[in-house]
Amino acid sequence: NWAYKDDILSGYVTDLIGFLLGEEDINGDTEVSVSFVTTDKIHELNKQYRDVDRPTDVLSFPCDTPEETPDELTELGDLVLSPEVISAQSKEYGTSYLQELTLLITHGTLHLLGYDHIEDDDAEKMQRRERELLEAWEKIS
């Protein structure tokens, strides 16, 4: 399965996040941690941090903002993804694993950058930006 070929996956994710940060005008030394965990683990984290008692596809844990660390490494935050949930969703939505992974990395990275979808206006803004970024990524990848 492509998803478990670490060298390919790591390069793809690194390139995608670099692209996303560039498109959001995040320059300088910026670090994003990405972890792939089991469905049970993401369920546990979702319950612990969001009080939602079910598995999810991606969790974002923001840390620094570039404004807080202008002259040093910005630890933007952590993304935690579940390959099993991503795979199930790709089948459910009729997308490829790669398409679903790309969407979720984009979604999670936007959360790290302060976007959210709690209020309708914010959700529209975030969804619009996701679409723009995904379309731009598709053109270059």
Side-chain angles (χ1 to χ4, degrees), residues 84-95:
E84 292 109 346
V85 174
I86 294 169
S87 182
Q89 285 182 179
S90 70
K91 291 174 184 149
E92 178 182 342
Y93 301 136
T95 60

Side-chain angles (χ1 to χ4, degrees), residues 4-40:
Y4 297 101
K5 294 183 180 174
D6 291 340
D7 56 338
I8 295 171
L9 181 62
S10 177
Y12 182 83
V13 169
T14 299
D15 291 347
L16 174 59
I17 291 174
F19 168 79
L20 296 169
L21 295 177
E23 291 293 303
E24 287 292 303
D25 294 323
I26 306 299
N27 302 305
D29 293 331
T30 305
E31 182 177 279
V32 174
S33 169
V34 179
S35 300
F36 291 88
V37 300
T38 65
T39 301
D40 289 341

Side-chain angles (χ1 to χ4, degrees), residues 101-129:
L101 175 66
T102 302
L103 169 64
L104 295 172
I105 295 266
T106 301
H107 184 86
T109 300
L110 287 176
H111 275 306
L112 295 180
L113 293 168
Y115 288 80
D116 72 55
H117 44 78
I118 297 170
E119 301 294 328
D120 288 344
D121 287 347
D122 292 333
E124 288 176 26
K125 180 180 177 184
M126 184 172 183
Q127 290 169 353
R128 182 174 47 256
R129 189 62 180 144

Side-chain angles (χ1 to χ4, degrees), residues 71-82:
D71 298 322
E72 55 191 74
L73 174 69
T74 300
E75 294 178 7
L76 199 57
D78 304 319
L79 298 178
V80 181
L81 299 110
S82 170

